[in-house]
Amino acid sequence: MGTLWSQERPPEEEQPTEQRSRWWAPARRLLTAVLLLGLFLGSSVVLFYFLWSCGPRPCKTPACWRLLKYYQASGNTSVPPCTDFFSYACAEAEGANTSFQALAEENKSRLQKILDAPRSWPPGSGEEKAFQFYRSCLDTDAIEAAGAGPLRQVIEELGGWPVSSNWTSLDFNRTLRLLMSQYDHFPFFRAYLGPHPTPSHSPIIQIDQPEFDVPLKQKQEQKIYAQIVREYLTYLNQLGSLLGGDPIQVQQHASVSISITSRLFQFLRPLEQQQAQEKLFRIVTIEQLQEMAPAIDWLSCLQATFTQMSLSPSQAVVVHDLDYLKNMSQLVEEQLSNHSDFLQSHMIFGLVGTLSPALNSAFREARRLLNRKLQELMGRPPTPAYDRGMQCVEETGAFFEPALAALFVREAFGPSTQSAAMDLFTTIKDALVTRLQRLPWMDEETRKEAQDRVTRLQVEMGAPGGAMTPALASQKYSEVRLGPNFLQSFLSGIRARRARIIQSFLEPFPHHRWQVSPWGVKAYYSVSDHVVVFPAGLLQPPFFHPAYPRAVNFGAAGSIMARELLHIFDQLLFSGNCLACDTYALERELQCLERGYAAFPSPGGTSFGGFHLLLESAADVGALAIALQAYNKRLLWRRGEATLPNLDLTPQQLFFRSYAQVMCRELSTQDSQDTQSPPTLRVHGPLSNTLAFSRHFQCPQGALLNPSHRCQLW
């Protein structure tokens, strides 16, 4: 029955059902269309909101507004970016400083504000002594009142000076020991502790060339050379007069001192020549060194300088230019045989120049005038006007670095900034590990070893760990004695700094020994400790800020980080150091880079050459590629990219602009001693080898920065 009931209906019931069916069909189609239209409109709104929320937004934080002002002041956007991106980013930059030098000045100003703030410290603490030293440095009235008296006292302790006082003819090596150990002055050579050049990189005494007070060069025009000598002679005559010397006698001793300097300089061998001859260093014992350069009492001089060590004739030392030391010794023996008083004057002249920052205005003005004349002769912009406050900041920072480190880091590199910087570094390091997998010239075993080296690399940021512990920092200043005059305080600071550096090498220290101050702007890779260091002073605006668009941080600070990471593999690129690599492919890329860089017009007619310069340029190109790869990966995982307002740059364009901003520098300030390419090449070389740059700036094929062929070593 149930079945029949379901299948059979009266005829009168079937008609209304058919009518409803005919009416419902078009209604259903209409309803479906309305629903589809609503779904389309709704999804469009959602998609529009999604794209709008993920698109670049203008960053309007105070940090971004300051960066915008900085970029607008340093760029010239009327220049075509595809032919001269350096001018596009840097043409309007004011002053002779590089971007790094400008940042260094800003950091010193911040440190000066810290030192100027009224504070109280525990008696005898490193902070108390630092602030006392700074205030005594600023007390120019007391320094002027003391006159040349404190300096004369120092000269008397060294046996006097033939041109200005009674001279006790002391033993030459006794005077040299005092200069080295008590005044940190090395007139004929430098001696310092450093890591052994071969594994295990244990501390070892290094004997190197001296740092000359006169800017002589291996290749210098005779006219320029004569003018430099003339200006330096005038300066030495002034020093003798300020110390009451007879003008005729002063003139004679000053001339001989310059002659000694000139001859010592001629003994030097250029670094390129040492590299070509594979004589960068030699390891000898003190006894062997004594035989080869007998004029110096090496054991007594080194023992007095490195009192924390127990030395013997069998002690090994590293000698960086043995030929220089042999010739220097012969010159000293000649002077001792004929004119030992001239040799004494030469050492005193050099010491007075070293101590000039701690002397009265007459000595400082003589030094300032000399520096200005030398800058003019070398074709460099004049140095800024003398600022006593900034000079005192520099001296206080140099002598009391551990005590001031924590104060600077708390002021400039808080936890949020450090966390953001570490996150950036991790992303850059991961990008390098990924990139190593694609290098065609590396064999599989070398690739795995390279990736392992990156993985094992340590990183330190901000300041040394021990410097952030006030108790440990204060212990380093127990021997500092301030007074009775500023020169004595200055000398006490010199001695304490030298003892601190030596002790840091000798202590079994679990952390890396920093080579820069926390407010410095130089990152570096330490081969001996396999650690890369980024001081707090470097990770600052305009290179880095947590509130910046990611494009800025990756383009500026990220490329700096990537460059230091690539220094891990410097030795790998030297000929014969990677036997299992595809040397043909490696050489091909190096030659490609060399040809590409040589094709760029270089300011001042300088030429691109030398393997060291080639390696530095390869690191520039690789660093930009790694930073860009890391930035693109970050864009895939994190939405909400920002750009700078009113700059009319996409995030990718801002990335390249930020990279170039790091290199900004006036072309006339390029030093011939620089190991880097000129700033234009450091911008144009990497950009021309980056296809993404041409794409984002829509560079036509064949433009200077969009060549038909690109090189990519890394």
Side-chain angles (χ1 to χ4, degrees):
M1 293 295 293
T3 303
L4 292 174
W5 178 257
S6 63
Q7 292 179 348
E8 296 182 6
R9 290 185 174 89
E12 61 271 15
E13 291 183 3
E14 293 179 5
Q15 185 176 0
T17 300
E18 293 175 358
Q19 293 176 350
R20 285 195 302 270
S21 179
R22 287 194 297 268
W23 174 84
W24 173 248
R28 184 171 54 188
R29 287 194 295 270
L30 178 61
L31 182 60
T32 301
V34 171
L35 290 174
L36 290 174
L37 179 61
L39 182 61
F40 173 77
L41 293 175
S43 62
S44 298
V45 171
V46 171
L47 181 61
F48 173 78
Y49 177 77
F50 179 80
L51 293 174
W52 177 83
S53 63
C54 292
R57 294 181 178 181
C59 174
K60 297 185 178 181
T61 65
C64 285
W65 284 114
R66 288 191 293 269
L67 183 66
L68 173 65
K69 184 178 179 181
Y70 178 81
Y71 277 15
Q72 289 175 332
S74 63
N76 183 2
T77 55
S78 64
V79 176
C82 297
T83 56
D84 189 359
F85 200 78
F86 179 83
S87 296
Y88 179 88
C90 305
E92 303 300 324
E94 297 181 358
N97 288 343
T98 66
S99 298
F100 289 94
Q101 290 169 332
L103 179 55
E105 294 300 319
E106 178 64 28
N107 289 339
K108 285 190 289 187
S109 296
R110 182 173 289 183
L111 187 59
Q112 184 175 30
K113 292 178 182 178
I114 293 173
L115 290 169
D116 285 335
R119 304 186 185 211
S120 60
W121 304 101
S125 66
E127 292 87 352
E128 183 195 45
K129 291 181 178 180
F131 279 72
Q132 285 180 353
F133 179 88
Y134 176 68
R135 287 193 292 269
S136 65
C137 181
L138 292 175
D139 189 359
T140 53
D141 291 341
I143 295 174
E144 294 299 319
L151 179 58
R152 288 196 179 97
Q153 180 181 350
V154 168
I155 293 174
E156 291 298 326
E157 293 172 357
L158 292 169
W161 192 1
V163 302
S164 65
S165 63
N166 295 327
W167 177 45
T168 303
S169 182
L170 298 179
D171 176 71
F172 163 77
N173 277 290
R174 180 180 181 276
T175 303
L176 184 61
R177 283 197 304 271
L178 288 173
L179 288 172
M180 293 170 59
S181 61
Q182 299 300 308
Y183 301 98
D184 199 28
H185 180 61
F186 297 84
F188 303 103
F189 56 88
R190 281 191 301 136
Y192 57 93
L193 265 187
H196 199 289
T198 60
S200 62
H201 302 297
S202 56
I204 188 171
I205 295 175
Q206 319 258 331
I207 311 296
D208 208 343
Q209 302 167 354
E211 294 178 347
F212 290 103
D213 204 27
V214 190
L216 301 175
K217 297 181 180 180
Q218 296 288 343
K219 296 180 180 179
Q220 198 165 47
E221 293 182 16
Q222 186 62 33
K223 180 180 179 181
I224 299 297
Y225 175 85
Q227 290 176 317
I228 290 175
V229 169
R230 187 160 48 248
E231 293 298 339
Y232 196 67
L233 180 61
T234 300
Y235 169 68
L236 296 186
N237 284 328
Q238 284 183 285
L239 296 186
S241 299
L242 290 172
L243 288 167
D246 176 73
I248 296 178
Q249 198 174 13
V250 169
Q251 174 86 15
Q252 184 182 18
H253 283 251
S255 298
V256 174
S257 177
I258 291 178
S259 175
I260 292 173
T261 298
S262 179
R263 290 187 62 186
L264 289 174
F265 187 83
Q266 291 172 5
F267 297 152
L268 300 179
R269 286 185 304 135
L271 180 62
E272 295 80 8
Q273 182 180 340
Q274 296 181 51
Q275 291 174 334
Q277 297 175 353
E278 297 183 351
K279 292 183 178 180
L280 289 175
F281 65 88
R282 281 186 60 178
I283 299 176
V284 300
T285 65
I286 294 178
E287 185 176 30
Q288 291 171 331
L289 183 59
Q290 188 67 55
E291 294 176 357
M292 292 182 283
I296 308 299
D297 186 347
W298 291 101
L299 182 59
S300 66
C301 285
L302 294 177
Q303 185 63 80
T305 304
F306 303 97
T307 55
Q308 301 95 322
M309 304 173 66
S310 179
L311 303 181
S312 68
S314 61
Q315 177 76 40
V317 297
V318 173
V319 174
H320 290 272
D321 191 342
L322 184 56
D323 290 337
Y324 167 82
L325 295 181
K326 290 178 179 179
N327 290 321
M328 175 272 298
S329 176
Q330 184 175 350
L331 174 60
V332 169
E333 287 181 327
E334 292 175 3
Q335 293 294 325
L336 287 174
S337 299
N338 302 315
H339 303 288
S340 58
D341 54 342
F342 288 151
L343 209 57
Q344 175 80 358
S345 289
H346 176 73
M347 292 189 286
I348 296 298
F349 275 128
L351 177 63
V352 175
T354 300
L355 299 181
S356 60
L359 304 178
N360 63 23
S361 59
F363 289 94
R364 296 197 307 269
E365 179 61 21
R367 187 71 184 188
R368 186 199 64 79
L369 184 61
L370 171 67
N371 290 338
R372 183 171 66 82
K373 294 287 188 181
L374 294 180
Q375 292 286 345
E376 292 175 358
L377 290 174
M378 301 302 293
R380 300 173 187 167
T383 55
Y386 177 75
D387 185 336
R388 180 65 183 180
M390 197 56 68
Q391 177 72 41
C392 292
V393 169
E394 293 177 3
E395 301 298 345
T396 307
F399 295 150
F400 296 90
E401 180 183 306
L404 299 177
L407 300 178
F408 181 85
V409 170
R410 283 196 290 268
E411 176 79 18
F413 200 64
S416 62
T417 302
Q418 184 169 6
S419 176
M422 189 62 74
D423 178 64
L424 174 63
F425 175 77
T426 301
T427 307
I428 295 293
K429 187 171 72 169
D430 291 345
L432 173 58
V433 172
T434 302
R435 199 166 188 85
L436 290 173
Q437 300 173 358
R438 308 172 186 171
L439 297 181
W441 54 269
M442 270 193 184
D443 67 288
E444 196 59 34
E445 183 178 351
T446 304
R447 192 189 321 278
K448 290 180 180 178
E449 182 181 346
Q451 290 175 327
D452 181 61
R453 283 182 61 80
V454 177
T455 303
R456 290 187 289 105
L457 179 72
Q458 299 295 312
V459 59
E460 293 190 14
M461 289 185 178
M468 302 305 293
T469 306
L472 294 177
S474 294
Q475 291 175 6
K476 302 178 183 295
Y477 299 102
S478 59
E479 301 300 322
V480 175
R481 300 288 183 267
L482 301 181
N485 53 66
F486 181 64
L487 178 57
Q488 290 299 326
S489 298
F490 186 85
L491 291 172
S492 183
I494 286 178
R495 293 160 189 158
R497 176 179 60 185
R498 181 168 184 82
R500 185 174 70 241
I501 293 173
I502 294 174
Q503 191 62 36
S504 71
F505 272 97
L506 299 178
E507 289 177 349
F509 201 62
H511 302 292
H512 167 71
R513 299 169 182 87
W514 277 47
Q515 302 171 20
V516 294
S517 65
W519 45 86
V521 296
K522 178 177 174 56
Y524 67 92
Y525 166 67
S526 170
V527 177
S528 58
D529 293 327
H530 195 48
V531 60
V532 64
V533 174
F534 301 99
L538 176 64
L539 298 172
Q540 301 292 323
F543 298 159
F544 181 81
H545 193 284
Y548 280 172
R550 287 193 292 266
V552 174
N553 287 335
F554 275 87
S559 62
I560 294 173
M561 291 176 175
R563 197 178 192 285
E564 295 307 319
L565 285 174
L566 287 177
H567 281 310
I568 300 173
F569 308 113
D570 279 351
Q571 292 299 320
L572 195 65
L573 301 183
F574 282 90
S575 178
N577 280 8
C578 187
L579 298 178
C581 293
D582 185 343
T583 55
Y584 174 77
L586 179 58
E587 286 295 326
R588 183 184 61 222
E589 292 302 325
L590 286 172
Q591 292 173 6
C592 175
L593 277 176
E594 188 171 17
R595 288 193 302 270
Y597 271 69
F600 280 105
S602 185
T606 58
S607 60
F608 180 85
F611 189 71
H612 179 75
L613 191 59
L614 180 61
L615 290 184
E616 294 291 338
S617 301
D620 283 340
V621 176
L624 178 62
I626 292 166
L628 179 61
Q629 179 178 314
Y631 175 60
N632 289 335
K633 182 177 179 181
R634 182 58 60 93
L635 289 182
L636 292 176
W637 292 97
R638 297 189 182 181
R639 303 184 182 94
E641 181 61 334
T643 188
L644 292 180
N646 306 328
L647 203 58
D648 195 26
L649 293 177
T650 67
Q652 289 77 12
Q653 290 174 330
L654 181 60
F655 169 89
F656 292 111
R657 172 70 187 270
S658 300
Y659 166 77
Q661 205 73 39
V662 172
M663 308 299 175
C664 283
R665 179 180 194 171
E666 276 194 6
L667 302 183
S668 60
T669 66
Q670 180 75 7
D671 193 330
S672 62
Q673 300 298 316
D674 283 355
T675 58
Q676 305 286 357
S677 300
T680 49
L681 288 185
R682 296 197 69 190
V683 172
H684 292 164
L687 293 181
S688 67
N689 284 285
T690 306
L691 179 62
F693 170 81
S694 299
R695 185 171 66 250
H696 288 294
F697 278 93
Q698 299 178 349
C699 297
Q701 185 65 36
L704 184 65
L705 300 185
N706 187 16
S708 57
H709 186 67
R710 293 179 171 84
C711 320
Q712 196 68 64
L713 180 67
W714 295 108

